[in-house]
Amino acid sequence: MRRARKPGALVALKLALTLALPLALAGCGHQSTQRQQVAAYVRHVGTIEGKLAKPVLAVTRAGGQFAAAGRKSAPLTEAQARALEQTLVQSQAQIEAQGRKLRMLHEPPAAGNLHSLVLRFTDGEVALTHQLAQMVAFLPRFNAELTPLGPAATRLAAVLSKRQAFGAAAVAALFAAKAKALRTFAATTTQTVTRLRLLSPPPVLKPQFEAQLGSLRGMGASAGRLADALASGVSTNVAPLLTAFDRAAAATHTPAARRAQTVAVRAYNARITRLAALAQAIARERLRLSNSLT
């Protein structure tokens, strides 16, 4: 006699299948919604990146023009510097505006990495643009403030080179003339330092700036001590004072000063390299997300 199948087991099986079907359909719907959210986010990011392209390109061109002027040892004119600075300031404002739009986007979890990469790139581009604008504004003023030192040093060298004097009165007059020239030079260095301290060097140029300030202070102090020694008529202790003056004049070219400047330049270049790497990572992540949508 054939055993009857338990109706309870059949009902349970049908119930399980009935429940599983809506759950499976709901899962597909959720996955489809996620894909739509990711696709929408990628489109929004693409739109913002399109608007970023123009200011980023303007920054790249400004940086190239600035670097070319430096390689040719032909400083930018005041008008050129102002125009470049204006371009960079405007570009920075545009990049910041797009960065704010990026932060307002609600990224789906699957696009979290892309969102982080794009924000890091935008922030890095803003910081780099700001520092480049600082350089463009700083260097012409820095060079202009140093310009009077050349003629002042030439005049001082001409007076100090006079070595012959006959008679006590002539020797005293020569010492007095040298002391006066030294004090005039010391006053020039003091005025230059005062004006330079009003400037704000960007990080990449700060070591050079600090070395120049130190050199000017050292030369001014040494010139003052030399003037006092010559004015007193005592020339026996002039040699060490001249050595101190020469050492201060060469302070911007010491190994320590060169190392500090090299470190600053490498840090600046590393920021550019990181931005390029971020741009590549963004492209790879966008491609990965696009492939996941198909």
Side-chain angles (χ1 to χ4, degrees):
M1 184 177 180
R2 183 178 299 174
R3 182 178 298 178
R5 183 176 299 173
K6 293 182 179 181
L10 183 60
V11 171
L13 178 61
K14 287 182 178 180
L15 181 61
L17 288 174
T18 303
L19 291 174
L21 184 60
L23 287 173
L25 291 175
C28 290
H30 178 65
Q31 189 176 14
S32 175
T33 301
Q34 279 189 330
R35 283 201 298 266
Q36 292 172 356
Q37 291 174 345
V38 171
Y41 176 79
V42 171
R43 284 196 302 272
H44 286 313
V45 170
T47 299
I48 292 174
E49 285 182 325
K51 294 179 180 178
L52 278 171
K54 184 177 179 180
V56 168
L57 179 59
V59 172
T60 301
R61 288 176 175 170
Q65 185 177 346
F66 182 69
R71 285 193 300 268
K72 295 175 182 176
S73 298
L76 296 172
T77 65
E78 188 175 346
Q80 289 173 327
R82 279 200 306 269
L84 268 187
E85 184 184 4
Q86 184 178 5
T87 296
L88 290 166
V89 169
Q90 290 174 347
S91 298
Q92 180 182 336
Q94 292 168 358
I95 296 170
E96 287 174 334
Q98 298 308 316
R100 288 192 293 271
K101 289 182 180 179
L102 282 168
R103 282 182 167 78
M104 292 173 63
L105 291 180
H106 177 69
E107 78 280 10
N113 187 39
L114 177 61
H115 189 70
S116 174
L117 289 171
V118 174
L119 286 180
R120 285 167 56 195
F121 177 84
T122 306
D123 291 344
E125 193 68 44
V126 167
L128 192 67
T129 303
H130 179 66
Q131 187 168 179
L132 183 56
Q134 283 184 307
M135 279 193 282
V136 171
F138 170 80
L139 271 179
R141 291 187 61 191
F142 179 67
N143 292 330
E145 298 298 354
L146 294 179
T147 298
L149 289 172
T154 300
R155 289 192 296 269
L156 177 62
V159 175
L160 294 181
S161 65
K162 297 177 181 178
R163 300 179 182 276
Q164 292 184 349
F166 302 98
V171 170
L174 181 59
F175 279 6
K178 291 186 177 184
K180 181 180 178 181
L182 284 162
R183 289 196 176 102
T184 299
F185 181 80
T188 301
T189 62
T190 299
Q191 293 165 4
T192 302
V193 167
T194 300
R195 291 193 298 267
L196 286 177
R197 285 175 61 85
L198 299 176
L199 304 182
S200 298
V204 68
L205 296 177
K206 192 168 183 179
Q208 179 184 344
F209 179 74
E210 295 294 341
Q212 186 66 69
L213 285 180
S215 175
L216 290 172
R217 290 192 187 102
M219 284 193 293
S222 297
R225 287 191 289 268
L226 273 167
D228 292 341
L230 292 174
S232 68
V234 180
S235 59
T236 55
N237 61 343
V238 167
L241 294 175
L242 283 172
T243 300
F245 182 89
D246 292 339
R247 188 181 298 116
T252 57
H253 303 292
T254 63
R258 287 197 296 268
R259 281 195 300 271
Q261 187 57 49
T262 298
V263 169
V265 170
R266 285 176 177 171
Y268 179 80
N269 290 338
R271 296 179 76 168
I272 297 175
T273 301
R274 285 195 296 271
L275 277 178
L278 277 173
Q280 294 175 353
I282 288 169
R284 289 193 299 268
E285 182 63 12
R286 188 192 297 106
L287 179 61
R288 185 190 71 79
L289 284 174
S290 297
N291 290 338
S292 71
L293 300 176
T294 57

